[in-house]
Amino acid sequence: MNDLKTVWKTQPLEENTMISLSDIRARAGRFQARIRWRNIALYAYSLANIAISFWLIASGRLSAFKYPMLLMVAAHLLVLWQINRRIATRPLPGDVAAQPALDFYRQELGRQADNLSRAWLWYIAPFIPPYVWELAIWLDRIQTHAIPNADYRLFLFSIIGAVSFWTAVWLAFSRASVRLQLQIERLNVLKAE
Amino acid sequence: MTQDDLYLRAVAEFGPALARLARAYEADADQRCDLLQDIHFALWRSFATFAGQCSLRTWIYRVSHNIAISGRLRRRKLRLVSLEELAGTPAPDDPENAVGNARALARLEILIRRLTPPDDQVMLLYLEDVDAASIAEITGLSSGAVATRIHRIKALLSRQFRQGDSR
C-alpha cells in the first residue's frame, strides 16, 4: 500500500501547474469584472422590461392591461431582488476554509436544495397573478368583441403553453431538490458516525 | 505574513499536492487546468482572512477540497458511489499489469473520480500520507469514521491492485 502512496506522490505532473501572483491578480481583476458585467446585464434586462412596460402604459397602447403590467413590473423587481439576495448569500472565501469539507459540501447541497425547492415561490409565483389578470382581461375583450377578429385558439394556446412551461420548470426543480435531499441525508448519517 | 506571502508559501509547500488533487478530480486536461486555477485563486483570496484558525495545511486542504467539490457539483457527469458500493467492483483481470506505475495511477484516478464525497477526499488525503487525525479535521468526519474509511480504502486498493504489502 505504501508503494501505491509512493507512486501517487511521485507521479509526473504536467507543466504549468504553478501559478504566479501576477496571474492570480489578473484573474482577480477578471473575476471582479465578470461579476460587475453580470450585475449590469441582470439590471439591464429587468430595466428594459420595466421601461417597455411603462412606455406601453404611457403611450396608451394596451391601456386595458395597465394594472396587470404594473404588477408584472413589481414581479420583475421582486425576482431581481431575490436573485441578488441569493447571490449575496453564496459562501465567501473565508467560509470555504473555515468549514470542514463535509460541512461545506452539506451546506452547498442544502443551499442548492433550498433554492430549488423554493424556486416556485420566488421565481414562478410572482409572475402568476399579473399573468392571470392579463388572461382575464384578454378573455373579456374576446367575449365583448373588443379585439377585432379575435378567436379563442390563440388564447387557449397561450394558456397551455404557459402552464406546460411552468409545470416543466417546477417538476425539474422538484426532482433535482429531492435528489439533493437524499445526498444530504447520506451526509447526515456520515456526520453522526 | 501578508496574503501574498501566505499564498507563495502554500504554493511552495503544497503546489504539487494541489496539482495531484486537480488531476484526481478532472480527467480532461482543460478542465483540470481550470480547476487548478480556481483552487489557486480561491486560496489566494482565502488568505485575506487567514488568522491561524487552524494549521496552514488544514486550511489549504479544506479550501482546495471545497473548491473541487463545488466544481464537481457544477459538472457532475458520472454517477458517484460510496466506498461500500465500490468494494463490489470487480478487480482487474490482469492484476500484474495493473501494478505498472502508469496503469496504477490511471486506475487510482478512476477509483477516486467514481467515489462520492467525502470518501474521495479521504482516499486522496490517505494517498497524500496525511494522518487520520488531520483527515478528520479537514473532512469533518469523526476519527472513528475516518479509521473505518481508511480500512475500507486499504481493502479496496489491496483487492484492486493485489499487492502483498497491505500495511
Side-chain angles (χ1 to χ4, degrees):
Chain A
M1 213 60 63
N2 287 335
D3 288 345
L4 271 181
K5 285 185 181 176
T6 308
V7 168
W8 179 256
K9 290 182 77 173
T10 56
Q11 64 179 280
L13 294 173
E14 293 150 328
E15 288 179 15
N16 304 322
T17 56
M18 295 300 164
I19 294 158
S20 69
L21 269 175
S22 57
D23 289 338
I24 292 286
R25 289 214 176 83
R27 197 178 167 90
R30 287 198 299 274
F31 177 74
Q32 296 295 343
R34 202 166 59 235
I35 291 193
R36 198 163 49 243
W37 278 110
R38 185 199 60 197
N39 289 343
I40 288 171
L42 208 61
Y43 282 116
Y45 167 76
S46 288
L47 289 176
N49 270 295
I50 291 165
I52 289 168
S53 299
F54 277 130
W55 175 72
L56 286 169
I57 293 166
S59 65
R61 290 180 176 87
L62 304 175
S63 58
F65 294 91
K66 186 165 78 177
Y67 293 111
M69 281 170 80
L70 282 172
L71 198 57
M72 194 65 93
V73 166
H76 270 293
L77 291 172
L78 181 70
V79 169
L80 192 62
W81 171 64
Q82 283 290 323
I83 290 172
N84 271 310
R85 192 174 71 86
R86 280 158 206 279
I87 289 170
T89 54
R90 295 208 63 170
L92 297 168
D95 297 334
V96 172
Q99 296 185 87
L102 187 64
D103 296 335
F104 177 81
Y105 185 45
R106 200 168 49 161
Q107 180 191 289
E108 280 284 281
L109 290 175
R111 190 180 59 78
Q112 287 189 8
D114 184 54
N115 282 348
L116 287 167
S117 66
R118 290 169 181 266
W120 68 271
L121 190 66
W122 64 269
Y123 189 69
I124 299 175
F127 294 108
I128 300 293
Y131 179 69
V132 170
W133 198 350
E134 283 176 358
L135 283 180
I137 294 170
W138 190 1
L139 181 63
D140 180 63
R141 285 167 66 83
I142 292 171
Q143 286 174 338
T144 56
H145 304 290
I147 306 171
N149 303 321
D151 68 43
Y152 286 96
R153 276 178 299 185
L154 185 62
F155 177 75
L156 288 173
F157 183 74
S158 165
I159 293 176
I160 292 167
V163 169
S164 306
F165 174 74
W166 290 118
T167 305
V169 170
W170 176 73
L171 283 175
F173 282 179
S174 299
R175 256 187 86 190
S177 174
V178 167
R179 274 204 304 270
L180 291 173
Q181 284 297 345
L182 288 173
Q183 289 186 57
I184 291 168
E185 279 165 28
R186 189 184 147 268
L187 293 179
N188 287 339
V189 171
L190 279 178
K191 188 76 184 168
E193 273 183 26
Chain B
M1 282 180 107
T2 66
Q3 181 181 6
D4 286 357
D5 291 339
L6 284 164
Y7 171 73
L8 290 173
R9 191 178 150 198
V11 170
E13 285 183 35
F14 295 94
L18 298 180
R20 288 194 289 272
L21 183 145
R23 187 173 173 147
Y25 274 112
E26 286 294 350
D28 179 80
D30 288 337
Q31 289 193 351
R32 189 158 60 234
C33 186
D34 284 348
L35 174 61
L36 190 60
Q37 287 194 8
D38 284 347
I39 290 171
H40 277 261
F41 182 46
L43 261 182
W44 178 74
R45 290 179 75 203
S46 76
F47 283 132
T49 56
F50 180 71
Q53 301 94 321
C54 56
S55 72
L56 190 66
R57 183 177 70 165
T58 298
W59 183 275
I60 290 165
Y61 275 127
R62 275 185 183 174
V63 172
S64 53
H65 279 277
N66 288 344
I67 293 299
I69 285 172
S70 301
R72 254 189 161 184
L73 281 171
R74 282 198 303 272
R75 302 185 290 268
R76 191 184 301 133
K77 293 174 196 156
L78 189 69
R79 192 181 82 83
L80 303 178
V81 296
S82 66
L83 269 170
E84 294 91 316
E85 286 176 90
L86 202 57
T89 306
D93 295 332
D94 55 347
E96 283 76 22
N97 280 342
V99 182
N101 282 7
R103 279 173 180 266
L105 274 174
R107 193 152 185 85
L108 274 174
E109 285 167 5
I110 289 169
L111 288 175
I112 293 166
R113 283 181 204 131
R114 287 206 65 195
L115 281 172
T116 182
D119 291 346
D120 55 348
Q121 297 164 345
V122 176
M123 187 152 173
L124 260 173
L125 293 165
Y126 168 76
L127 288 170
E128 289 290 339
D129 232 356
V130 178
D131 60 281
S134 299
I135 293 177
E137 195 184 4
I138 292 162
T139 59
L141 289 166
S142 68
S143 308
V146 169
T148 307
R149 260 152 196 83
I150 288 177
H151 177 73
R152 284 179 191 155
I153 286 166
K154 282 181 178 175
L156 174 73
L157 294 178
S158 182
R159 225 169 63 78
Q160 292 287 321
F161 294 90
R162 302 265 172 87
Q163 288 186 325
D165 179 6
S166 57
R167 279 168 291 170

